[in-house]
Amino acid sequence: MAASWKEVVHKIGENRWEIRRSYQEGMQVPGLIFASESMLSRIWEDQAFQQVVNVSFLPGIVGHSLAMPDIHWGYGFPIGGVAATRVKDGGCLSRRSGLRY
């Protein structure tokens, strides 16, 4: 991992930061973090940033590996992380208990 988030994360809008696919070979989609600049140092230190990258490798992932402003270290996925996958492309469907589709 690089020494600073400033070497890896690119500002693409107000409170929107992108981790480009070129950051790590094999990333299927870019990472997109929604956070203020002042929050990024904490996100970096917590290593939740790396979990955003890890999610970008999921089979069938589409769009981006997303991270909301409350992102922090989780079990595999960062807490506050979001991803969409296509089941037909090897992705999975995850749903909360009690919801009907």
Side-chain angles (χ1 to χ4, degrees), residues 10-18 32-40 67-69:
H10 305 276
K11 187 170 186 166
I12 59 170
E14 187 174 350
N15 299 319
R16 291 186 332 150
W17 307 84
E18 184 178 61
L32 183 59
I33 300 172
F34 293 90
S36 66
E37 186 168 349
S38 63
M39 295 173 73
L40 290 176
M68 301 304 111

Side-chain angles (χ1 to χ4, degrees), residues 50-68:
Q50 186 58 46
Q51 288 187 316
V52 174
V53 172
N54 294 347
V55 169
S56 77
F57 283 81
L58 287 174
I61 191 167
V62 295
H64 290 83
S65 171
L66 301 167
M68 301 304 111

Side-chain angles (χ1 to χ4, degrees), residues 3 5-6 10 12 19 22-23 25 28-29 31-32 44 54 58-59 62-63 65 72 74 77-78 82 86 91-92 96:
W5 63 265
K6 293 178 181 181
H10 305 276
I12 59 170
I19 305 163
S22 59
Y23 171 68
E25 187 176 337
Q28 301 296 309
V29 296
L32 183 59
W44 183 263
N54 294 347
L58 287 174
V62 295
S65 171
H72 56 281
F77 253 77
V82 179
R86 281 191 195 96
C92 64
R96 294 185 340 167

